């Protein structure tokens, strides 16, 4: 087809539909009829750019033009036109490619879909009217049936569904909503449903309708999805719900909102129980990790596992006391010098008790700074204090169900003794930074190198805590008072050392025993173990070679008298400690420290320095 532009313009003017002639090269409208001008609200369409009536739809027009170019003609409903007033026009475009004097044009006919639908409805209504009253009744019955079916669908839904108009009045409510809320349709229809079911927050504060997401959904014409609110049952109890509020329209006019909701009370309760269970599992996991970490530390410190060894009257008496008290839940207070085996007595008591399947947790009260004592014992939550980057389980909680061993109990800071007494007596505690009270069930065993009665008199230890701990006292006698145990202990320690160090076991001679029994043993059994281990390493032949530290080596046979008074032994200990500290330049701990040379723990040496009142001047002065 190759017509002149004038002929095309006249033809277009005669068409019944809004029609445009658009130059494909320039995009300019070359011709338009009156119907198009009225639809697009523009009197002077010819000469204007077609893009002006497209808005943001230019890309869709390009795709449509390519389809027309390929097929010769095409149609689309994807392009929305825009009138001069800004009104969007939903249209169906029919287009054909024509030529006019070597120029290509798109002949575009426009069908206004809104007008088309209005005419269709008018035709349907007229048709029904023409068919008479019978058809009207049939149409009415049809719509009633549709409404009934819709109500059946609503009632079949498991979720609660209700509608509200722009005034917040209830327009419909399904059966599930009535069942969940306890209100009937007669109670709710036409009423302000917010005032009946959504009037308060879970904490009891008033919930104004202006703040309600359901109202916001249709006032702002946006869908609202809420997961953590409550509706109120007719009997006044809260119902945890999650709901979606969606605006609804009538002929593109906002009419209200429809709310779909479900009762999630049971699900939330199950979620809470699951969360609590997960917290308990996490706490148990943390406790087991802490317990394992603690046990690994103990293994590193003890280095070998050994039990009470010996047949002396002192040892037999201690074993008898352990057998008596182990089966009870009574608190035990173990006293004695450092290195006499107080920790072993505590361990043996625990192993013979009904709590043996749970661990015995040792708290070295002398090795904890006063600032961290509460955290170490009770634990803390993250952020409880500066540096608390994560939760920590305290040793008293790790010991739950087992035994809590308070070693060197005299070193507990005085200002914390009352708190610890209350916790142990009431069997409840709180982590630092946490208000929740936790119950515990622990058996308490305490040990002290110091004389706690003297500490009570001096005011450094609470009397009520002393009486609480001292239910069943056990005294560990020093090694010098039970030299008869030395042969058996020597063989036992030598066997352990050789097995651990993978060394051949040398023979212990009578001379070795006499030498060991002649020594004063200020470090007691612990010092004996160190001497035997050192001998196992030094021995290269069949016989055990003993080498005492030169410092403090004093045979009983070399003393001025065969029997020493307590005062003489005290003076000898003081001189021995001072000499050792001078040799190490005052250093107590470490491989080259005085405690290691004496074969005792640093905490024990600190306690003796404090007990004997050894001053720095004595260490620095000439011996």
């Amino acid at each position: 087809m190759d017509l002149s532009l004038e002929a095309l313009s006249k033809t277009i003017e005669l068409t019944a539909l809004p029609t445009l002639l658009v130059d494909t090269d320039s995009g300019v409208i070359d011709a338009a009829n009156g119907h198009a001008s009225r639809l697009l609200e523009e009197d002077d369409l010819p000469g204007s750019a077609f893009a002006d009536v497209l808005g943001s739809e230019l890309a869709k027009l390009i795709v449509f033009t390519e389809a027309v170019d390929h097929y010769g003609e095409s149609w689309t409903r994807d392009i929305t036109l825009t009138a001069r007033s800004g009104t969007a026009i939903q249209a169906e475009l029919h287009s054909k490619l024509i030529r006019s004097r070597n120029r290509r044009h798109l002949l575009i006919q426009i069908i206004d879909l809104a007008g088309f639908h209005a005419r269709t409805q008018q035709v349907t209504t007229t048709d029904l009217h023409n068919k008479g009253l019978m058809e009207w009744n049939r149409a009415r019955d049809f719509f009633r049936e549709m409404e009934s079916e819709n109500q059946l669908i609503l009632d079949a839904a498991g979720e609660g569904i209700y509608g509200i108009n722009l005034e917040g009045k209830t327009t419909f409510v399904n059966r599930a909503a009535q069942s969940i809320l306890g209100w009937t349709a007669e109670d709710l229809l036409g009423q302000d449903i917010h005032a009946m079911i959504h009037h308060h927050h879970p904490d009891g504060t008033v919930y104004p309708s202006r703040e309600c997401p359901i109202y916001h959904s249709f006032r702002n014409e946006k869908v609202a999805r809420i997961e953590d609110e409550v509706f109120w049952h007719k009997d006044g109890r809260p119902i945890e719900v999650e709901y979606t509020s969606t605006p609804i329209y009538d002929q593109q006019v906002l009419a209200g909102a429809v709310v779909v909701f479900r009762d999630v009370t049971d699900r939330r309760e199950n979620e809470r129980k699951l969360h609590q269970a997960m917290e308990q599992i996490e706490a148990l996991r943390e406790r087991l990790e802490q317990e394992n970490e603690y046990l690994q530390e103990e293994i590193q410190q003890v280095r070998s596992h050994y039990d009470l060894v010996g047949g002396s009257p002192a040892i037999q008496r201690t074993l008898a006391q352990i057998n008596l008290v182990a089966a009870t839940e009574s608190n035990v207070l173990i006293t004695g010098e450092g290195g006499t085996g107080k920790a072993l007595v505590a361990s043996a008591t625990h192993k013979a008790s009904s709590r043996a399947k749970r661990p015995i947790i040792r708290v070295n009260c002398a090795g904890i700074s006063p600032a961290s004592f509460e955290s170490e014992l009770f634990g803390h939550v993250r952020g409880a204090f500066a540096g608390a980057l994560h939760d920590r389980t305290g040793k008293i909680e790790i010991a739950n169900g087992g035994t809590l061993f308070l070693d060197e109990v005299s070193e507990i800071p005085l200002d914390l003794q009352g708190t610890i007494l209350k916790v142990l007596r009431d069997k409840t505690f709180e982590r630092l930074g946490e208000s929740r009270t936790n119950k515990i069930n622990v058996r308490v065993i305490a040990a002290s190198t110091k004389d706690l009665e003297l500490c009570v008199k001096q005011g450094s230890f609470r009397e009520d805590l002393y009486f609480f701990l001292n239910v069943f006292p056990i005294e560990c006698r020093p090694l010098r008072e039970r030299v008869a145990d030395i042969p058996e202990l020597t063989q036992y320690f030598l066997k352990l050392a050789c097995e651990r160090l993978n060394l051949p076991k040398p023979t212990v001679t009578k001379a070795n025993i006499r030498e060991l029994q002649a020594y004063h043993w200020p470090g007691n059994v612990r010092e004996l173990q160190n001497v035997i281990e050192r001998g196992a390493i030094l021995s290269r032949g069949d016989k055990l070679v003993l080498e005492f530290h030169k410092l403090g080596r004093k045979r009983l046979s070399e003393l001025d008298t065969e029997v020493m008074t307590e005062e003489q032994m005290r003076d000898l200990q003081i001189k021995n400690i001072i000499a050792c500290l001078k040799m190490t330049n005052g250093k107590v701990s470490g491989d080259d420290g005085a405690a290691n040379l004496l074969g005792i723990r640093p905490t024990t040496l600190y306690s003796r320095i404090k007990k004997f009142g050894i001053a720095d001047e004595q260490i620095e002065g000439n011996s």
Side-chain angles (χ1 to χ4, degrees):
M1 182 182 292
D2 193 358
L3 301 174
S4 66
L5 185 61
E6 293 78 6
L8 286 172
S9 298
K10 290 180 180 178
T11 302
I12 288 170
E13 189 63 44
L14 295 174
T15 58
L17 294 174
T19 306
L20 303 173
L21 188 66
V22 180
D23 190 312
T24 59
D25 292 330
S26 64
V28 173
I29 299 173
D30 284 342
N33 63 5
H35 299 303
S37 297
R38 285 188 292 275
L39 178 65
L40 299 174
E41 301 175 3
E42 180 62 66
D43 295 333
D44 300 320
L45 280 174
S48 63
F50 185 53
D52 293 343
V53 301
L54 287 175
S56 61
E57 305 286 272
L58 182 58
K60 293 181 180 180
L61 177 67
I62 294 173
V63 174
F64 177 58
T65 302
E66 289 177 351
V68 175
D69 186 47
H70 180 75
Y71 296 108
E73 61 181 285
S74 186
W75 67 276
T76 182
R77 287 188 176 185
D78 292 339
I79 298 174
T80 302
L81 304 179
T82 304
R84 185 172 186 178
S85 63
T87 303
I89 301 171
Q90 298 294 327
E92 180 176 293
L93 304 184
H94 289 256
S95 183
K96 187 173 184 178
L97 187 65
I98 61 176
R99 295 183 180 276
S100 174
R101 306 290 172 84
N102 298 324
R103 293 172 62 189
R104 286 156 42 97
H105 286 84
L106 285 177
L107 183 66
I108 301 173
Q109 288 189 313
I110 305 169
I111 298 175
D112 179 10
L113 293 178
F116 176 77
H117 291 320
R119 289 191 298 274
T120 300
Q121 290 178 357
Q122 184 176 4
V123 170
T124 302
T125 303
T126 302
D127 187 46
L128 288 172
H129 179 72
N130 292 336
K131 290 181 179 180
L133 184 60
M134 183 179 295
E135 290 297 326
W136 272 107
N137 289 336
R138 186 177 301 168
R140 182 195 61 192
D141 293 341
F142 171 75
F143 284 114
R144 283 180 177 176
E145 184 177 346
M146 283 186 61
E147 182 180 1
S148 177
E149 289 179 356
N150 288 338
Q151 188 62 44
L152 288 173
I153 293 172
L154 288 174
D155 286 340
E159 292 87 359
I161 305 173
Y162 67 85
I164 56 174
N165 60 21
L166 293 178
E167 296 178 355
K169 307 295 185 183
T170 311
T171 56
F172 67 86
V173 57
N174 76 339
R175 188 172 298 158
Q178 298 174 59
S179 175
I180 295 171
L181 299 173
W183 298 93
T184 65
E186 290 74 15
D187 295 329
L188 296 173
L189 292 177
Q191 302 299 317
D192 180 357
I193 195 168
H194 180 87
M196 300 180 73
I197 70 166
H198 208 193
H199 42 76
H200 283 79
H201 289 291
D203 61 3
T205 57
V206 176
Y207 199 161
S209 60
R210 63 179 179 275
E211 298 175 4
C212 177
I214 295 172
Y215 286 75
H216 289 176
S217 69
F218 64 77
R219 287 170 182 165
N220 299 327
E221 298 189 49
K222 291 182 179 179
V223 176
R225 294 180 176 87
I226 307 298
E227 298 181 352
D228 56 353
E229 285 192 357
V230 300
F231 287 167
W232 296 91
H233 193 273
K234 185 177 182 179
D235 63 12
R237 60 183 171 85
I239 305 167
E240 293 185 77
V241 295
E242 57 184 26
Y243 63 83
T244 300
S245 176
T246 306
I248 53 176
Y249 299 86
D250 182 10
Q251 299 293 329
Q252 299 185 347
V253 177
L254 183 67
V258 61
V259 180
V260 180
F261 69 94
R262 61 173 59 93
D263 181 356
V264 295
T265 304
D266 292 340
R267 193 185 80 192
R268 292 283 166 77
E269 180 62 24
N270 291 334
E271 288 175 354
R272 279 192 286 269
K273 288 180 180 178
L274 178 61
H275 183 67
Q276 290 174 355
M278 293 300 293
E279 283 185 339
Q280 291 173 356
I281 292 171
E282 177 63 21
L284 181 59
R285 183 193 64 80
E286 180 187 344
R287 174 178 166 181
L288 290 175
E289 286 181 356
Q290 294 280 351
E291 189 175 300
N292 182 60
E293 180 184 342
Y294 164 77
L295 293 175
Q296 291 295 331
E297 290 176 359
E298 286 296 294
I299 290 170
Q300 293 287 338
Q301 291 175 6
V302 175
R303 299 181 297 174
S304 64
H305 176 75
Y306 53 90
D307 295 318
L308 292 169
V309 175
S312 67
I315 282 292
Q316 295 304 314
R317 181 173 181 272
T318 300
L319 291 173
Q321 289 178 306
I322 291 173
N323 290 333
L324 282 173
V325 76
T328 73
E329 290 291 303
S330 298
N331 298 335
V332 179
L333 177 60
I334 307 168
T335 57
E337 295 179 9
T340 53
K342 296 187 292 295
L344 285 179
V345 172
S347 179
T349 304
H350 170 74
K351 289 177 183 177
S353 73
S354 60
R355 297 173 179 264
K357 292 183 180 180
R358 295 290 303 147
I360 174 172
I361 303 300
R362 174 175 170 266
V363 180
N364 181 11
C365 301
I368 306 173
S369 68
S372 60
F373 205 98
E374 284 186 280
S375 174
E376 189 76 18
L377 194 62
F378 305 134
H380 62 256
V381 295
R382 185 174 61 180
F385 51 83
L389 302 180
H390 54 81
D391 292 356
R392 178 180 176 83
T393 304
K395 289 188 174 178
I396 197 168
E397 188 173 355
I398 298 173
N400 192 29
T403 301
L404 181 68
F405 176 38
L406 299 174
D407 199 5
E408 297 298 344
V409 70
S410 62
E411 300 303 318
I412 296 176
L414 184 61
D415 57 341
L416 293 179
Q417 291 177 17
T419 302
I420 292 171
L421 173 61
K422 186 177 186 302
V423 167
L424 296 178
R425 190 168 52 200
D426 297 347
K427 297 187 177 183
T428 59
F429 76 98
E430 294 175 1
R431 289 186 181 185
L432 293 183
E434 186 178 56
S435 58
R436 185 178 64 182
T437 299
N438 303 286
K439 294 183 179 181
I440 52 166
N441 176 19
V442 295
R443 200 263 185 88
V444 181
I445 299 178
S448 176
T449 304
K450 292 183 179 180
D451 183 346
L452 289 184
E453 286 190 38
L454 181 60
C455 292
V456 170
K457 291 177 182 178
Q458 293 174 345
S460 62
F461 201 80
R462 290 177 62 113
E463 185 177 39
D464 48 1
L465 180 56
Y466 170 68
F467 288 134
F468 176 80
L469 298 173
N470 191 31
V471 177
F472 192 92
I474 298 178
E475 182 181 7
C476 293
R477 306 305 300 174
L479 186 57
R480 62 180 173 272
E481 295 182 13
R482 50 188 184 94
V483 292
D485 292 331
I486 289 178
E488 189 175 349
L489 285 168
T490 299
Q491 292 288 355
Y492 186 73
F493 290 146
L494 184 61
K495 178 177 179 292
L496 287 178
C498 291
E499 287 177 353
R500 187 169 56 83
L501 300 174
N502 196 24
L503 295 172
K505 182 182 176 184
T507 302
V508 180
T509 66
K510 291 182 179 181
N512 293 143
I513 297 300
R514 284 196 299 270
E515 188 174 16
L516 292 171
Q517 288 180 328
Y519 184 55
H520 185 57
W521 299 114
N524 291 297
V525 179
R526 189 181 300 112
E527 186 182 4
L528 174 63
Q529 184 190 11
N530 292 343
V531 169
I532 298 304
E533 184 173 329
R534 190 180 309 118
I537 296 170
L538 293 173
S539 300
R540 289 293 178 261
D542 295 336
K543 296 180 181 180
L544 177 65
V545 176
L546 296 176
E547 183 179 291
F548 292 80
H549 284 298
K550 292 180 180 179
L551 178 64
R553 184 168 182 249
K554 184 80 171 179
R555 297 176 186 271
L556 289 176
S557 59
E558 296 173 358
L559 298 176
D560 295 335
T561 59
E562 292 185 0
V563 178
M564 297 177 64
T565 65
E566 286 293 328
E567 187 66 22
Q568 287 173 325
M569 287 194 295
R570 182 177 182 277
D571 291 340
L572 182 60
Q573 271 194 293
I574 292 173
K575 289 177 183 179
N576 194 41
I577 291 172
I578 292 173
C580 189
L581 289 170
K582 284 180 179 180
M583 180 176 289
T584 61
N585 294 319
K587 186 175 180 181
V588 174
S589 58
D591 293 339
D592 56 345
N596 190 46
L597 291 177
L598 290 173
I600 60 177
R601 294 190 210 175
T603 54
T604 303
L605 183 52
Y606 278 124
S607 297
R608 290 181 182 175
I609 292 170
K610 186 177 179 181
K611 175 182 177 181
F612 296 137
I614 298 173
D616 293 340
E617 293 79 13
Q618 292 174 274
I619 300 171
E620 295 169 359
N622 295 326
S623 55

